[in-house]
Amino acid sequence: MLELVKAGGWPMIPLLALTVLALAIILERAWTLRRIAVAPPNLGQEVRTWAAGGTLDPAHIDSLRATSPLGALLAAALDVRHRPRDQIRERIEDVGRHLVHRMERYLNTLGTIAAAGPLLGLFGTVVGMIQMFLVIGESGMGDVNELAGGIGKALVCTATGMIVAIPALMAHRWFRGRIAEYIVDMEHEAIRLLDTLQPAAASAEVAAGGHGINPPVSAS
């Protein structure tokens, strides 16, 4: 392994730095975006039970907010539970945008690494080819070792760039999809809590066609 790094030359330094950074981001996001850390399975039902029983106080809500992103979203709804339904929904949406931004932390950096890895590998390839042609220009085709070194540097840098980029791209896409799944689940739990807080308003909205499925309109 050390021989390959030496063969790649100095262009391997930024590639190795990107490798370490990508690995650190993947491990940190994999730990942070665990389901139990983002949306604990039974938290929504527990909060709805609290809300239905009226056993809520500021300290209780603050404790809920500190548990997880889902807890923070539900706590935001409980903070304004005595306001009209539309204002509660707006509060949920505002807090939800901040939570999504927090969950997407470092993902732009990971995407940049996935895009920059092949480019840096290509740069190392170009450096190796330049070195090879300079040797040819100075000493002709006779120095096979110098030619092999230039070609080796080109190939090692290209392979390293792909090794960096492929896992980074796969992890980036996987984290994006996981966050999208969490967003859907959190929105569902927030709406269910909202219906628990204001069941009469929810029934009225559906009856008026606000959020329910409207019957088909007859052609006649």
Side-chain angles (χ1 to χ4, degrees), residues 54-65:
T55 58
L56 292 171
D57 56 75
H60 202 172
I61 296 175
D62 289 339
S63 176
L64 171 65
R65 184 178 288 108

Side-chain angles (χ1 to χ4, degrees), residues 44-213:
Q45 179 60 48
E46 184 178 353
V47 174
R48 288 193 298 273
T49 302
W50 294 346
T55 58
L56 292 171
D57 56 75
H60 202 172
I61 296 175
D62 289 339
S63 176
L64 171 65
R65 184 178 288 108
T67 59
S68 62
L70 175 59
L73 187 66
L74 300 180
L78 295 175
D79 285 337
V80 292
R81 61 189 180 278
H82 300 301
R83 297 183 184 180
R85 186 180 178 90
D86 290 341
Q87 294 184 17
I88 301 177
R89 289 177 65 92
E90 290 177 2
R91 181 64 176 273
I92 291 173
E93 291 172 359
D94 290 340
V95 173
R97 282 192 291 269
H98 290 286
L99 294 173
V100 170
H101 180 72
R102 283 170 49 189
M103 287 191 289
E104 291 180 345
R105 188 182 183 188
Y106 303 132
L107 290 190
N108 284 338
T109 303
L110 190 61
T112 302
I113 292 173
L119 295 178
L120 283 174
L122 179 61
F123 174 72
T125 301
V126 172
V127 170
M129 297 301 292
I130 290 173
Q131 177 182 341
M132 182 181 67
F133 283 112
L134 288 176
V135 171
I136 294 175
E138 292 178 359
S139 58
M141 298 292 293
D143 195 340
V144 179
N145 292 330
E146 290 291 338
L147 292 177
I151 296 173
K153 179 182 292 186
L155 295 178
V156 168
C157 290
T158 301
T160 305
M162 292 180 181
I163 291 172
V164 173
I166 292 173
L169 179 60
M170 293 176 63
H172 180 267
R173 295 293 180 86
W174 187 80
F175 287 136
R176 288 284 188 184
R178 193 162 184 82
I179 290 172
E181 180 182 339
Y182 286 148
I183 291 171
V184 172
D185 293 342
M186 291 166 64
E187 287 179 348
H188 178 67
E189 293 294 343
I191 294 301
R192 293 182 68 183
L193 176 61
L194 187 55
D195 292 340
T196 301
L197 293 172
Q198 297 183 347
S203 299
E205 286 183 1
V206 173
H211 296 283
I213 300 175

